[in-house]
Amino acid sequence: MSDVGSIERTTQNRIIKFFQDYLSYSYLGNWQYRENNRNIEPDYLRPFLEQQGYSDTLIKKAIAQFQKTVTNQSQNLYNLNKTVYSSLRYGIKVKPEVGANTETVWLVDWDTPENNHFAIAEEVAVKGEHPKRPDIVLYINGIALGVLELKRSTVSVSEGIRQNLDNQKKEFIEHFFATQQLVMAGNDTQGLRYGTIETPEKYYLTWREDKDQETPLGNDLENPLERGLMQLCSKQRLLEIIHNFTVFDNGKKKLCRHNQYFGVKYAQDYIKNGKGGIIWHTQGSGKSLTMVWLAKWIREYNPNARILIITDRDELDKQVEGVFSGVDEPITRTQSGQDLIKKLNQTTPSLMCSLIHKFGKNKTTDYDSYIEELNNSLPPDFQAKGDMYVFVDECHRSQSGKLHEAMKQILPDAVLIGFTGTPLLKNDKRKSVEVFGKYIHTYKFDEAVTDNVVLDLRYEARRVEQKITSQEKIDQWFEVQTQGLTEYAKTELKKRWGTLQKLLNSKSRLEKIVADIIFDFATKDRLKSGRGNAMLVAGNIYQACRYYELFQNQGFTKCAIVTSYEPSPQDIKGETTGEQERTEKLRQYEIYQQMLGGKDPEKFEEDVREQFINNPAQMKLLIVVNKLLTGFDAPPATYLYIDKTMRDHGLFQAICRVNRLDGEDKEYGYIIDYQDLFKSLEKSIADYTSEAFEDFDDEDIQGLLSDRVEKGKERLEEMLEKIRALCEPVEQPKDTSAYIRYFCGSNQPEQNPEHLKTSEQQRHTLYQYTASLVRAYANLANDMIDAGYTPQQASEIKAAVKHYEQARQEVKLASGDYIDLKTYEPAMRHLIDTYIGAEDSKTITALDDMTLVELIVERGEPALDVLPNGIKENPEAVAETIENNLRKIITEEQPTNPRYYEQMSELLEQLIEDRRQEAQDYETYLKRVIELSKQVTQPHNSSQYPPSLDTSAKRALYDNLDQDESLTLAIDHAIKTNKKDGWRGNKIKERQIRRAIKEHLDDKETLNRIFELVKNQNDY
């Protein structure tokens, strides 16, 4: 076990030993000072190839060809890594000599893991535009295939993930990641997180061994970091993940989650024994890619295999085609039952998908007609060619039994595998097991939530028509709905309250629901900020059109209807009665036509969906009936409003539309139910396994829904407890100065000047906890009394939230961190203004466009008015805030001109020392600090530079070449004459610049120093 808070070096030493003792990797050494570390080390690759029996000629050619592929700088990282992966997985094709047959040189022995040389090196110093040094690099046969960043137990794994992401940028060591397959970060408390190249932080995964495994890997290890490394980096597992569970999907490289891995592994065992079965992986857990990986394995395991994927919805059919095409697995969409039979009777294609077609005026899925069409298309001599494997998507449908029987008649020897994202109904379980076979693998909703694969769902039943029956009730409703809002937010709402009052006062239930939803868009965090959006499920197409019309009438125009309805003049034939009142069909037709605005319905839907997913602020609400409730991933969708009688699979799939991850501010998906599907308003206790879900087994839907208010209270109290524990060490009276001293350090003689850097993680935890606390409070602010708090408790909690938010704001300014966190501020400010209120928020907006130091340079002493009152009223807090901000700029700018900023750093330390010694009054101090701010941010205004040095790059050279003007100008000219576009990171182009500088400098140390300086200049 590790010591609590152990430093990274201790953790690293232990993990290196773990790789050697437990995983049997060789240790190559500490490569911090080793020259020319690369992602291909021929000294280790060559012996492996010799051991595999390749000739010297083949080895030389294969290594040269592979190095050429890896160093190709014309491709972006994704495409380069994809090309390299192809060489690794399928081998290097080489001709020993002209005219000879092509041979394949395998750089990795995928079949026999023990034949490969597994090794690690630590502190691998890699050259780049800005050199970097990954903690541990995993080499297989001298090829860098894995990288691991380690953090001490008190530092978040997120820091390691961000380090990995930074390292993949062009400015750092992007080229080193051309060969990387597994990118990891870990510590002793959170364990191991993994992704691959360019995996965004929120999609890094945690591995877990399967509950049904006979001998799970690493479960006997107590330490979560060591357990994760055992499970991912043991030799056979690592090779298997790289070889069988890696995919390049439409510009994104992806690795499997543990449920996908075990689902495919168990399916392989079934298939080898000629058996089929059911894979149930809950909505949002990557079922489509599980199909892809299983299909790829089947085709390699059995060269004679042919795979047919059957879906019963057009959007699912298109999605299957899109997923397979996106991963370079060409798939043929059959056009009809007849077309399918024709293709089955041929030897190609080997991968097909077929849609169970829609029949009749309502385009309902007709299994009987589909099966009849298949049978009628059978030629007398029909026999499907190849070994058939049939995947049936959404196999929970009760009609799939008929389909199975038909498939067994047409393809008697086929292996059938059913896939579902929802549980099977109690009554269908026996039938489904008879039809497809047993469950091959299950991954239920509560497991996916625990693994952070999908979000937890919060449920609330609303019955607006009973709550709102008179003007008095409307006023009362407004007060209840806004009891947690600030006066500012209430005033903003009241500007629009008149029109909502009319809706709520109407007899129409639909109008009341429209008012309720518009109200949510004005008060709920994700909806108001435009970061998230919503879907409304209507009972039928006419009701959807009425909803759309009502929203439009209220000026809520960023919404659209998406249904299967395609307006046609035939629909309104004979509907004109001569009466003033239009028929439902006529109104439906007119509203739909008005919405389409002359666009083709299919194109309109495509555009609307694209906006809804990629630009939620411009498409806030989709009104649907059946469409888009399955197979439609909409990450921004946060709320689902239901005004339709739904149950079982339809309801399960619908509510999972809002469970997708989408950034830190989307913590849950919300279900608002106007139909009271679980009769929770009629009962004293909410049971979300009864009523609409009563036909499921309880254990199959465990934890799917939870009460919004009850869980909201739990979350609020959890975050209050966390932030109180974090801030416990802050000295009494826990005022501004105390928070700044604890989270930023104080500029006192005994204080380590590096404290601002070392306490960075602590501050980020404060920011993270505060943001989560504010969101938790905002989610419950209008329901504090319903949650069981007394008015006094509610008031005390609001005061506590406000206290921590102000502390966050002050620490952020005092440390200078606000500069890096600007992108997160607008959403937070909206929350604060709406639910907490912050006197300082108006002045702090001045820092949106400028830093504090820039404001001081521009405005002088009046710039300090933008500081929060807690800082502004304390001269020492003001001084430390300015000093920390200056120190941050000096540190960041140091590489661009080391000598100049060393001088600035000395001036700052002298200024701090004089303030400590009280050698000057506050006014004099402010004048000196304003003057220093100008020097730090505007070196070009200094009188010390000759007029010829008219760029920051020339001035940087001048300062670092002992102020030799002629040498500076000569080197500047040489650089500009020799530099080529995109020279940074390109070894050949960098060498040209280096040679040009070398003509003017004899000393190697000076040459290295000036070359690094030049790389940091924007002017070059």
Side-chain angles (χ1 to χ4, degrees):
M1 277 298 290
S2 64
D3 297 326
V4 175
S6 63
I7 60 169
E8 282 159 34
R9 182 66 258 175
T10 308
T11 304
Q12 193 161 311
N13 289 343
R14 199 185 78 252
I15 293 304
I16 286 164
K17 194 165 179 351
F18 179 82
F19 267 103
Q20 294 171 272
D21 295 348
Y22 282 82
L23 298 173
S24 301
Y25 279 57
S26 302
Y27 176 58
L28 302 179
N30 183 318
W31 285 5
Q32 182 173 351
Y33 301 109
R34 181 177 181 265
E35 289 291 317
N36 298 319
N37 295 322
R38 290 166 291 173
N39 44 19
I40 304 174
E41 296 288 344
D43 290 349
Y44 297 98
L45 179 54
R46 173 176 286 281
F48 164 76
L49 295 175
E50 287 170 352
Q51 169 198 304
Q52 294 297 96
Y54 295 111
S55 69
D56 193 51
T57 304
L58 280 176
I59 291 171
K60 278 180 185 171
K61 289 194 170 188
I63 292 177
Q65 190 173 315
F66 187 50
Q67 284 179 320
K68 187 179 177 184
T69 299
V70 169
T71 54
N72 179 2
Q73 295 193 351
S74 66
Q75 292 181 297
N76 63 23
L77 179 58
Y78 172 84
N79 287 318
L80 178 56
N81 192 279
K82 186 177 178 182
T83 309
V84 170
Y85 178 78
S86 183
S87 297
L88 289 168
R89 195 182 192 280
Y90 302 109
I92 305 280
K93 306 294 183 274
V94 181
K95 286 188 177 182
E97 54 191 48
V98 178
N101 291 331
T102 301
E103 295 187 39
T104 301
V105 175
W106 296 94
L107 303 175
V108 178
D109 187 336
W110 299 108
D111 298 324
T112 315
E114 294 305 324
N115 283 350
N116 300 286
H117 177 240
F118 288 78
I120 54 164
E122 64 173 320
E123 302 299 333
V124 180
V126 182
K127 290 179 180 175
E129 191 172 320
H130 296 287
K132 284 284 184 176
R133 203 171 68 232
D135 290 339
I136 294 178
V137 176
L138 281 62
Y139 289 90
I140 300 179
N141 307 328
I143 305 166
L145 298 184
V147 65
L148 170 63
E149 287 295 340
L150 293 168
K151 292 291 154 200
R152 71 176 77 183
S153 57
T154 54
V155 175
S156 170
V157 170
S158 297
E159 290 293 302
I161 294 172
R162 287 169 200 156
Q163 246 174 290
N164 279 327
L165 289 168
D166 282 344
N167 288 351
Q168 292 170 58
K169 292 176 181 170
K170 268 199 186 313
E171 305 91 88
F172 298 106
I173 55 169
E174 180 191 56
H175 60 91
F176 189 70
F177 285 80
T179 59
Q180 295 293 350
Q181 307 303 315
L182 192 63
V183 181
M184 300 170 284
N187 69 14
D188 285 322
T189 48
Q190 293 170 284
L192 188 72
R193 306 273 302 283
Y194 72 96
T196 186
I197 57 142
E198 298 177 335
T199 302
E201 183 185 341
K202 66 179 177 182
Y203 291 124
Y204 265 68
L205 303 165
T206 302
W207 190 271
R208 186 161 55 80
E209 290 294 282
D210 194 69
K211 57 188 180 299
D212 297 326
Q213 261 182 296
E214 287 181 21
T215 53
L217 265 180
N219 278 9
D220 55 330
L221 293 168
E222 194 179 334
N223 181 287
L225 175 56
E226 293 171 1
R227 187 163 60 243
L229 288 169
M230 172 66 80
Q231 291 165 349
L232 278 174
C233 299
S234 59
K235 294 177 179 179
Q236 185 168 342
R237 177 73 56 81
L238 178 59
L239 290 188
E240 198 171 19
I241 287 172
I242 295 172
H243 189 268
N244 291 339
F245 294 94
T246 300
V247 76
F248 292 82
D249 182 8
N250 279 318
K252 291 175 185 169
K253 186 179 181 184
K254 296 174 182 176
L255 300 179
C256 62
R257 297 176 178 138
H258 63 83
N259 64 293
Q260 295 167 318
Y261 172 85
F262 288 110
V264 171
K265 289 290 289 177
Y266 291 166
Q268 290 172 4
D269 291 338
Y270 271 69
I271 286 164
K272 285 173 183 174
N273 292 317
K275 293 178 183 175
I278 298 167
I279 294 177
W280 165 26
H281 284 183
T282 197
Q283 300 280 323
S285 61
K287 185 160 53 80
S288 300
L289 283 181
T290 302
M291 279 189 194
V292 167
W293 281 313
L294 184 55
K296 278 172 77 90
W297 176 83
I298 288 171
R299 292 166 76 193
E300 291 187 345
Y301 163 73
N302 180 356
N304 200 34
R306 299 183 72 199
I307 297 166
L308 169 63
I309 301 171
I310 297 178
T311 61
D312 68 352
R313 298 204 176 190
D314 187 50
E315 59 258 39
L316 290 175
D317 194 46
K318 286 177 180 169
Q319 187 184 18
V320 167
E321 183 193 29
V323 168
F324 275 85
S325 301
V327 299
D328 298 328
E329 289 286 334
I331 188 167
T332 301
R333 273 179 92 190
T334 61
Q335 302 307 307
S336 63
Q338 187 178 0
D339 184 35
L340 173 60
I341 295 296
K342 182 183 171 186
K343 286 185 167 56
L344 288 172
N345 209 20
Q346 299 166 349
T347 54
T348 58
S350 62
L351 187 56
M352 297 163 277
C353 57
S354 176
L355 175 67
I356 300 169
H357 293 283
K358 311 293 182 184
F359 292 89
K361 193 169 185 333
N362 296 324
K363 294 198 171 181
T364 55
T365 306
D366 190 337
Y367 281 77
D368 292 332
S369 301
Y370 178 73
I371 292 163
E372 188 181 341
E373 186 189 1
L374 289 176
N375 287 323
N376 291 341
S377 306
L378 286 172
D381 59 342
F382 174 79
Q383 185 176 4
K385 308 301 183 286
D387 297 335
M388 290 303 306
Y389 298 84
V390 181
F391 294 177
V392 179
D393 198 15
E394 304 302 347
C395 72
H396 57 264
R397 314 253 198 259
S398 55
Q399 300 97 323
S400 58
K402 296 177 185 175
L403 178 66
H404 177 269
E405 286 168 22
M407 284 294 141
K408 276 297 181 190
Q409 280 182 353
I410 297 165
L411 306 167
D413 300 320
V415 173
L416 269 77
I417 296 179
F419 288 83
T420 182
T422 63
L424 298 174
L425 298 177
K426 293 175 192 173
N427 295 338
D428 287 346
K429 272 191 175 176
R430 187 181 301 163
K431 189 195 302 177
S432 296
V433 168
E434 287 170 6
V435 167
F436 291 99
K438 298 176 183 175
Y439 278 127
I440 294 172
H441 191 251
T442 66
Y443 185 60
K444 299 178 185 179
F445 183 86
D446 56 340
E447 295 176 85
V449 170
T450 302
D451 291 336
N452 294 317
V453 169
V454 297
L455 296 173
D456 214 346
L457 297 171
R458 297 285 182 258
Y459 172 86
E460 177 184 357
R462 290 185 193 169
R463 200 173 282 170
V464 292
E465 70 274 19
Q466 286 186 357
K467 289 184 182 174
I468 305 163
T469 52
S470 65
Q471 184 59 48
E472 185 186 341
K473 287 274 188 186
I474 290 172
D475 293 338
Q476 188 184 344
W477 182 84
F478 181 85
E479 285 307 313
V480 170
Q481 293 295 309
T482 60
Q483 61 191 359
L485 269 58
T486 61
E487 288 307 312
Y488 164 77
K490 281 187 185 180
T491 305
E492 288 295 300
L493 265 181
K494 280 177 178 170
K495 290 176 186 174
R496 286 188 283 169
W497 180 232
T499 54
L500 288 181
Q501 272 181 308
K502 286 174 193 167
L503 282 181
L504 292 164
N505 217 357
S506 76
K507 290 177 184 174
S508 161
R509 179 177 170 281
L510 262 58
E511 287 179 303
K512 288 174 181 170
I513 289 173
V514 166
D516 195 49
I517 292 172
I518 291 174
F519 202 86
D520 276 358
F521 271 91
T523 57
K524 301 299 183 190
D525 173 29
R526 287 267 300 178
L527 299 181
K528 186 178 179 186
S529 68
R531 291 264 301 131
N533 46 23
M535 296 172 79
L536 166 61
V537 187
N540 53 52
I541 292 168
Y542 174 66
Q543 191 186 66
C545 291
R546 286 281 292 120
Y547 268 128
Y548 175 78
E549 188 176 45
L550 289 168
F551 279 114
Q552 296 297 308
N553 292 345
Q554 295 309 312
F556 191 94
T557 56
K558 291 172 181 175
C559 67
I561 313 165
V562 176
T563 70
S564 55
Y565 178 60
E566 293 183 10
S568 158
Q570 288 295 110
D571 298 335
I572 55 170
K573 201 173 179 184
E575 289 294 316
T576 308
T577 63
E579 299 291 327
Q580 208 168 10
E581 187 66 32
R582 293 166 298 166
T583 65
E584 283 190 7
K585 282 190 177 177
L586 203 54
R587 286 185 76 183
Q588 178 176 304
Y589 176 81
E590 289 171 356
I591 292 168
Y592 229 93
Q593 287 287 42
Q594 185 186 352
M595 178 186 74
L596 291 174
K599 267 192 179 181
D600 170 68
E602 200 169 318
K603 179 73 172 76
F604 175 81
E605 181 185 325
E606 199 179 298
D607 293 346
V608 161
R609 286 168 67 148
E610 194 275 332
Q611 266 200 310
F612 188 78
I613 293 172
N614 298 317
N615 197 359
Q618 296 307 312
M619 186 49 64
K620 295 183 174 184
L621 179 71
L622 289 186
I623 305 165
V624 301
V625 179
N626 290 316
K627 246 187 171 181
L628 305 193
L629 293 180
T630 60
F632 173 59
D633 283 353
T638 309
Y639 281 75
L640 180 76
Y641 296 95
I642 300 175
D643 189 25
K644 176 184 180 178
T645 303
M646 304 177 79
R647 59 180 297 118
D648 303 332
H649 298 123
L651 178 58
F652 189 103
Q653 289 181 303
I655 63 180
C656 289
R657 294 311 95 206
V658 293
N659 73 354
R660 304 307 197 261
L661 306 173
D662 186 47
E664 280 186 15
D665 64 330
K666 185 181 177 185
E667 295 183 306
Y668 307 102
Y670 291 93
I671 314 297
I672 310 299
D673 173 11
Y674 293 112
Q675 290 281 339
D676 194 16
L677 298 171
F678 297 95
K679 302 291 182 277
S680 58
L681 295 175
E682 293 176 12
K683 303 173 186 173
S684 57
I685 187 162
D687 177 8
Y688 302 128
T689 61
S690 66
E691 300 295 339
F693 280 159
E694 66 187 359
D695 288 336
F696 290 129
D697 280 326
D698 289 358
E699 66 267 20
D700 288 349
I701 52 169
Q702 201 62 48
L704 179 63
L705 291 176
S706 49
D707 183 84
R708 181 182 69 81
V709 174
E710 181 190 322
K711 289 295 180 182
K713 182 178 182 180
E714 284 179 21
R715 177 65 172 164
L716 176 59
E717 294 189 347
E718 178 198 355
M719 288 319 304
L720 277 167
E721 193 178 324
K722 277 188 171 181
I723 202 162
R724 282 170 180 152
L726 177 71
C727 299
E728 181 66 31
V730 176
E731 293 171 3
Q732 294 293 346
K734 294 191 187 294
D735 58 3
T736 299
S737 294
Y739 272 97
I740 291 174
R741 277 196 302 275
Y742 181 70
F743 284 102
C744 309
S746 63
N747 291 326
Q748 296 302 318
E750 71 279 2
Q751 180 71 55
N752 178 357
E754 289 296 307
H755 185 81
L756 192 65
K757 184 70 182 166
T758 56
S759 60
E760 187 175 20
Q761 179 56 39
Q762 223 168 3
R763 290 196 304 279
H764 280 278
T765 304
L766 173 68
Y767 307 150
Q768 187 184 354
Y769 282 4
T770 311
S772 293
L773 174 64
V774 170
R775 281 197 293 271
Y777 176 73
N779 284 335
L780 204 63
N782 296 329
D783 306 287
M784 294 293 278
I785 306 305
D786 289 346
Y789 295 111
T790 65
Q792 184 180 341
Q793 286 172 325
S795 177
E796 286 168 0
I797 288 173
K798 182 173 183 175
V801 175
K802 187 171 184 176
H803 167 80
Y804 289 117
E805 165 49 31
Q806 287 178 334
R808 176 191 82 102
Q809 193 70 262
E810 289 164 358
V811 168
K812 197 152 52 71
L813 272 169
S815 62
D817 289 341
Y818 70 94
I819 299 165
D820 303 323
L821 297 170
K822 277 184 182 178
T823 52
Y824 302 103
E825 278 309 294
M828 277 302 294
R829 193 172 298 140
H830 141 256
L831 264 180
I832 293 156
D833 288 346
T834 306
Y835 292 101
I836 301 166
E839 296 79 2
D840 303 318
S841 67
K842 298 292 178 292
T843 54
I844 286 173
T845 53
L847 294 170
D848 281 352
D849 302 315
M850 301 176 83
T851 67
L852 176 62
V853 174
E854 286 168 342
L855 270 178
I856 288 170
V857 169
E858 185 182 274
R859 301 182 189 175
E861 196 174 327
L864 303 180
D865 289 339
V866 306
L867 294 173
N869 291 333
I871 295 178
K872 192 164 49 182
E873 291 162 3
N874 183 331
E876 188 176 337
V878 170
E880 291 192 348
T881 297
I882 298 171
E883 289 157 9
N884 283 335
N885 275 263
L886 276 170
R887 185 176 280 128
K888 186 178 179 78
I889 293 173
I890 289 169
T891 303
E892 286 173 355
E893 294 297 325
Q894 186 98 9
T896 65
N897 192 337
R899 291 273 168 86
Y900 182 81
Y901 285 103
E902 276 166 25
Q903 186 187 349
M904 292 299 104
S905 183
E906 287 165 13
L907 289 173
L908 176 61
E909 295 309 319
Q910 184 58 53
L911 185 65
I912 292 169
E913 183 59 28
D914 289 349
R915 177 174 64 77
R916 283 184 197 140
Q917 303 298 334
E918 298 181 357
Q920 61 204 334
D921 59 31
Y922 185 56
E923 291 304 313
T924 307
Y925 167 80
L926 284 178
K927 282 176 187 169
R928 285 181 65 192
V929 88
I930 289 167
E931 184 53 41
L932 180 58
S933 298
K934 289 176 181 174
Q935 286 180 269
V936 167
T937 57
Q938 301 173 347
H940 55 281
N941 286 342
S942 170
S943 58
Q944 67 177 345
Y945 293 112
S948 63
L949 307 181
D950 51 5
T951 67
S952 60
K954 288 179 187 174
R955 289 188 288 272
L957 286 170
Y958 178 75
D959 284 330
N960 291 273
L961 288 168
D962 298 326
Q963 300 191 335
D964 186 327
E965 183 181 359
S966 60
L967 182 58
T968 295
L969 294 173
I971 290 177
D972 175 72
H973 178 73
I975 294 165
K976 286 177 177 172
T977 307
N978 286 277
K979 78 180 177 75
K980 303 281 193 305
D981 188 46
W983 65 272
R984 288 178 180 84
N986 183 309
K987 289 176 184 173
I988 296 169
K989 293 177 182 178
E990 279 190 4
R991 270 201 295 271
Q992 285 178 304
I993 302 251
R994 193 181 175 87
R995 276 198 295 268
I997 298 170
K998 191 178 179 182
E999 288 180 19
H1000 302 275
L1001 296 173
D1002 299 325
D1003 180 49
K1004 188 178 179 182
E1005 189 181 328
T1006 308
L1007 172 63
N1008 290 339
R1009 185 167 52 81
I1010 295 301
F1011 182 65
E1012 287 304 315
L1013 177 75
V1014 166
K1015 283 164 72 174
N1016 284 301
Q1017 303 306 314
N1018 290 330
D1019 291 341
Y1020 300 136

